[in-house]
Amino acid sequence: MHVRRPSALLGAAAITTALVVVPTATATADELSCKSQAVGVMSTGKLLKRTVENGRQTAAKTSETKLPFRPNTLAWGGSEEVRGGYRSYFLATARDGRPRLLAVTDKQRRSTMSTQVTKFATTGFEPRLMALGNAGPEVLVLEGSVLKRYKIGATDSGLVMRGARTVLPRMSGLKTLSWYSRQRVSGVKQDIFYATTKSGSLKQVRVPVRRPANASVVTVKRGGFGAFTGLSLSYCNGDRSTAMIMGIDAAANEAKWYSLSRQNAPAGRNLTSHGLAAEGKNWRLRPTV
């Protein structure tokens, strides 16, 4: 998660962003400042938030109690400032098919975070993968082999998922999916996602905001990413042109981080591996964002 502009999201909730990237004046590749927060559910059922800067853990905090449900997927929807800290919003799915809005409040003087859960009115919503940005109410999900885009709306019965539109068919090979940013590519405003596949590829998925059916996929790297169970994304030097990609391997209990320069024209030659992230820490987290 990283610095993003304020926007309204998740019904009436005003979502702004947590300032977790330190802007840096023009820096060389050897002077990267990459900072991100990885959030995931521990085996105890508690939520863990870990801040990683250039591969080092600089902070970590858990929820005070375990979540009242077990998330199948987790997607970040932005953060807003509150007195003494900030509140982050997440969209989660559960086994009963009802999405949840998860509000996590982190106050500087408290050693743990508090959580509040609101169920959606929607039922039967069980995507295998899900990604949500804070640029708008759009949610990208993988249902079966098809990538679809929903929009979050509000009704008298509560929050709902509606307006499903097919984005890309034949995408059953995806293993992870995470939102990166909303930006213009070739003059078209698009949501940028990164994904990994079961065969080990790293891909960038571009979904035009107005015409999602015109989505495209770019292969960044053909191998080496198959073990990751989740991606946590940010960017470096206060500039989204260089992506920070942290791959979490819950089975191996480790994470690795990469930087991708010129991410608006992604290619394997621009991808640099920086080794382990927060080495020796607990990475047995599922799901993660």
Side-chain angles (χ1 to χ4, degrees), residues 5-20:
R5 62 185 180 279
S7 64
L9 190 61
L10 298 178
I15 309 299
T16 56
T17 64
L19 300 180
V20 296

Side-chain angles (χ1 to χ4, degrees), residues 9-238:
L9 190 61
L10 298 178
I15 309 299
T16 56
T17 64
L19 300 180
V20 296
V21 173
V22 179
T24 305
T26 53
T28 69
D30 296 329
E31 298 172 334
L32 286 177
S33 177
C34 307
K35 187 175 181 181
S36 183
Q37 287 183 341
V39 177
V41 181
M42 301 189 298
S43 58
T44 60
K46 290 185 177 182
L47 198 72
L48 171 68
K49 181 187 70 176
R50 170 174 289 127
T51 303
V52 176
E53 185 169 4
N54 286 3
R56 296 176 295 103
Q57 175 177 300
T58 57
K61 191 177 285 191
T62 68
S63 58
E64 185 175 6
T65 60
K66 68 178 184 179
L67 299 177
F69 70 103
R70 185 72 184 184
N72 290 333
T73 63
L74 191 66
W76 184 65
S79 303
E80 63 180 344
E81 292 185 3
V82 295
R83 186 173 182 180
Y86 64 92
R87 181 173 295 122
S88 297
Y89 294 90
F90 299 86
L91 182 64
T93 61
R95 186 177 299 176
D96 63 4
R98 292 187 66 180
R100 268 79 162 171
L101 170 61
L102 174 62
V104 181
T105 303
D106 181 1
K107 295 195 173 182
Q108 294 178 355
R109 294 187 178 183
R110 292 183 62 89
S111 60
T112 58
M113 303 178 292
S114 62
T115 58
Q116 182 178 359
V117 177
T118 303
K119 287 185 178 181
F120 276 53
T122 296
T123 59
F125 187 73
E126 301 179 74
R128 183 165 65 82
L129 299 176
M130 179 176 66
L132 165 71
N134 77 323
E138 294 82 11
V139 183
L140 192 67
V141 305
L142 180 66
E143 293 182 334
S145 62
V146 181
L147 269 179
K148 297 181 181 180
R149 194 184 74 177
Y150 285 80
K151 287 191 176 183
I152 297 172
T155 69
D156 292 341
S157 300
L159 294 173
V160 294
M161 292 291 184
R162 60 189 180 193
R165 299 181 65 178
T166 295
V167 174
L168 288 166
R170 299 182 296 277
M171 298 297 288
S172 60
L174 291 188
K175 186 176 180 180
T176 70
L177 179 68
S178 296
W179 186 81
Y180 180 70
S181 69
R182 177 171 289 184
Q183 60 194 74
R184 289 191 178 276
V185 180
S186 300
V188 178
K189 188 179 293 185
Q190 306 193 42
D191 280 318
I192 307 299
F193 301 83
Y194 284 91
T196 61
T197 68
K198 297 173 184 176
S199 63
S201 295
L202 173 66
K203 295 183 179 291
Q204 184 188 84
V205 180
R206 301 173 177 179
V207 182
V209 176
R210 296 186 63 182
R211 294 181 174 85
N214 292 342
S216 60
V217 181
V218 179
T219 298
V220 183
K221 193 79 171 179
R222 294 193 178 278
F225 286 78
F228 296 134
T229 52
L231 296 181
S232 182
L233 306 178
S234 183
Y235 46 77
C236 303
N237 301 329

